[in-house]
Amino acid sequence: MADLLIKNIGALVSAKGSKALKGAEMANIDILHDCAAAVKDGKIVFIGSESAAPTCTEVLDAKGLLVTPGLVDAHTHLVFGGWRQHEFELKLKGAAYLDILKAGGGILSTVEKTRAATENELFEKAKKISLQMAAHGTTTIEAKSGYGLNIEDELKQLSVVKRLQADMPLDFVSTFMGAHAVPGEYKGRSEDYIDFVCNELLPVVASKKLADYCDIFCETGVFDAALSEKLLLKAREYGFGLKIHADEINPVGGSELAGRLGVHTAEHLIAATDEGIDLMADSGVIACLLPATSFYLDKPFARARYMMDKNMAVAVASDFNPGSSPNFNLQFAMNLACIRYKMTPKEALSAVTINAAAAIGMAGKVGTIEIGKKADIVIWNAPDLDYLFYRYGNNQVMHTIKGGAVLR
Ligand code: IZC
Ligand code: ZN
């Protein structure tokens, strides 16, 4: 006897396997019509015709609609205090993202609010947001620190992610991003700050096992490629998986460094060079692209098709954060992936499921609907995959199922 039967599925659309799909493989998506799926102990145990399905204690009718894997948001800055609406009008009048940061605003204004918040306040806020993300189809969430920028407040942020994982039905993957900005105490001394991160912050985070990945903001006026290399090499020694915010705004050697070091993922890549893309393709770096940020900063869109032509695996994520992407709805990023990256719906689905899962080391457990994987499933108010991607601006989720539990 199984626990949950999802019957009357019109189209079950999913990639296969536990590895990122590269380039042309991203279109390798199977569509199974008129079928059912069964769940036991949180995992998928059956996919096939309804007549052959095991008896289940609970039945959910998919009403002939589209079913996909639960969405994986592989890049968020989920845990933060305050918001940044006071910078919105400045931005509209032409203030640049990096100029706002340079003037002590931007990330640093969120650092101030995050330091001032208690762990409980941050937890309650992030929990509420995570539930809304689940209502929009997201079942696995990567969350970065980087609004503490000292030992106490980085640990506070990372502890929140640990509590979310323990408390909520969703999966969270934690990334340490102590090198997100140079805090006021180190103004003009980015080298000293990186030494502090390497020698004091990183070892504590490692010993407390509070993060799987280490990320750094490699950007003009933040951390250059040499400092980024220094931290990432140190993080590798401590066993962290490596991520880098590379060439988000300016081409400062981030993508070249990502390729040279063979990091796990490189994020943004809006201004990545041909050489950087070649190096990343050679070393199997996953590109984690964030189209909602290009939209919100009114910047160019990363060259996703070019990267796919070079046989890179491309993931797409929300970049949810209070500054450059105050929107956690991955469906919007999916629309943009089609319209601005020119991905097909199948490729874009791979980008937010199997490839996003691979980007955060979760592809063995989630990212596809296959026997043995977690039962992370979305039933959409859409008859087929094209419909899901062609509509936009409204939440199209009918049901979100995480580990077999119906959350919405
Ligand atoms: O809070 O502005 N790009 N980090 C690097 C961000 C955006 C988040 C923020
Ligand atoms: Zn980011």
Side-chain angles (χ1 to χ4, degrees), residues 75 77 80 84 87 97-98 101 105-108 110-111 144 146-147 177 180-181 216-219 222 245 248-249 268 290 293 297 319-325:
H75 182 138
H77 302 254
F80 57 85
R84 305 228 283 268
E87 290 170 3
Y97 176 86
L98 289 176
L101 176 60
I107 295 172
L108 293 178
T110 302
V111 168
K144 301 176 195 297
Y147 295 125
M177 199 174 176
H180 191 196
I216 182 164
F217 191 13
C218 180
E219 188 56 73
V222 192
H245 280 57
E248 173 178 355
I249 293 159
H268 288 290
L290 310 163
T293 308
L297 293 180
D319 194 20
F320 173 60
N321 74 73
S324 62
S325 185

Side-chain angles (χ1 to χ4, degrees), residues 290-356:
L290 310 163
T293 308
S294 289
F295 166 81
Y296 204 74
L297 293 180
D298 204 6
K299 291 280 175 197
F301 283 73
R303 293 185 291 154
R305 275 253 75 93
Y306 182 85
M307 294 175 203
M308 289 166 66
D309 288 345
K310 297 283 178 180
N311 206 34
M312 285 185 78
V314 175
V316 165
S318 73
D319 194 20
F320 173 60
N321 74 73
S324 62
S325 185
N327 175 14
F328 50 70
N329 181 3
L330 209 41
Q331 293 165 58
F332 178 56
M334 288 154 65
N335 292 124
L336 288 175
C338 290
I339 290 168
R340 302 306 302 262
Y341 292 161
K342 307 297 177 200
M343 285 185 182
T344 65
K346 283 183 175 178
E347 291 166 341
L349 184 71
S350 295
V352 292
T353 56
I354 182 66
N355 282 7

Side-chain angles (χ1 to χ4, degrees), residues 78-80 114 117-124 126-127 143-146 148 150-168 172-177 201 204-205 208-212:
L78 174 68
V79 182
F80 57 85
T114 306
T118 64
E119 184 184 308
N120 256 334
E121 286 165 348
L122 294 175
F123 172 75
E124 291 302 333
K127 180 174 171 176
K144 301 176 195 297
S145 71
N150 60 33
I151 292 180
E152 182 188 343
D153 295 303
E154 282 293 308
L155 293 184
K156 180 172 75 180
Q157 256 196 293
L158 293 165
S159 301
V160 167
V161 182
K162 205 151 206 183
R163 277 177 66 187
L164 291 169
Q165 175 68 33
D167 248 66
M168 299 194 59
F172 293 85
V173 171
S174 180
T175 296
F176 167 62
M177 199 174 176
L201 207 34
V204 184
V205 174
K208 291 185 181 289
K209 296 195 186 335
L210 282 170
D212 297 312

